[in-house]
Amino acid sequence: LLRNSLPTMYGELEKCQKSLEGYLEQKQNAFPRFYFVSNAKLLIILSQGSDPLAMNQYYENVFDAIQYVEHDPKDKTIIHKLHGNGGDGHEVVPFIQPVKAVGNIEDWLTALLKNMQKTLKENARSCAMDLSEVQSDISNLRPLVDRNISQF
């Protein structure tokens, strides 16, 4: 009995594995940063996609230099800030507009990525404007550095 059913079970297992690989590739195509995450971790991330707080432990796998994001205490689907790596004294970057973490995880991670880019672009623009005030007076450099983040 086992000898007869083993080849059938193996065939079914191969079908499941191909379907799973196709599903993961679909998610990776939707959010290309998933290509840098192992399949095992990607499965965990996708299985917890309905809980945005569960993603906090995996941001380091998906984004460079991001340890976790800060959610609104009243609505866990709203993300206000990102926290960089670096232990004590790490950088905290408040977003110019909050991100809503609802729907498919790859969709709201894409929105998060775009919002990070917009925020850092705006911070760079602001820093450039502040830099024009420093000009040749080096004593104004320390306040400039203290006022601006260094993520870019």
Side-chain angles (χ1 to χ4, degrees), residues 15-28:
K15 284 181 191 176
C16 287
Q17 191 170 6
K18 283 182 184 180
S19 295
L20 179 60
E21 287 173 7
Y23 173 74
L24 293 178
E25 189 172 339
Q26 177 187 3
K27 295 299 183 177
Q28 290 166 331

Side-chain angles (χ1 to χ4, degrees), residues 54-72:
M55 181 62 193
N56 265 335
Q57 61 184 322
Y58 299 103
Y59 282 110
E60 288 180 286
N61 300 110
V62 179
F63 297 105
D64 287 339
I66 296 177
Q67 189 170 7
Y68 64 96
V69 299
E70 195 171 308
H71 294 263
D72 187 289

Side-chain angles (χ1 to χ4, degrees), residues 12-143:
E12 293 298 316
L13 180 62
E14 281 184 333
K15 284 181 191 176
C16 287
Q17 191 170 6
K18 283 182 184 180
S19 295
L20 179 60
E21 287 173 7
Y23 173 74
L24 293 178
E25 189 172 339
Q26 177 187 3
K27 295 299 183 177
Q28 290 166 331
N29 286 333
F31 188 67
R33 287 177 177 259
F34 281 158
Y35 280 108
F36 302 106
V37 179
S38 70
N39 284 351
K41 282 189 181 173
L42 183 53
L43 278 172
I44 293 169
I45 290 169
L46 294 173
S47 70
Q48 298 174 347
S50 61
D51 180 13
L53 293 174
M55 181 62 193
N56 265 335
Q57 61 184 322
Y58 299 103
Y59 282 110
E60 288 180 286
N61 300 110
V62 179
F63 297 105
D64 287 339
I66 296 177
Q67 189 170 7
Y68 64 96
V69 299
E70 195 171 308
H71 294 263
D72 187 289
K74 295 179 183 172
D75 184 356
K76 69 179 182 177
T77 64
I78 298 174
I79 302 170
H80 291 288
K81 301 175 185 178
L82 69 86
H83 290 255
N85 290 340
D88 291 341
H90 67 272
E91 279 193 320
V92 178
V93 181
F95 292 129
I96 54 176
Q97 59 187 12
V99 176
K100 190 89 167 147
V102 292
N104 290 333
I105 191 167
E106 64 273 15
D107 294 336
W108 65 260
L109 283 175
T110 299
L112 180 68
L113 175 63
K114 288 181 180 180
N115 199 6
M116 281 190 281
Q117 292 167 340
K118 284 181 191 175
T119 298
L120 292 178
K121 185 176 181 180
E122 184 57 38
N123 287 341
R125 183 177 291 126
S126 173
C127 183
M129 289 175 59
D130 289 350
L131 187 59
S132 67
E133 295 172 10
V134 171
Q135 302 206 356
S136 62
D137 186 3
I138 200 78
S139 66
N140 290 331
L141 190 57
R142 182 80 247 166

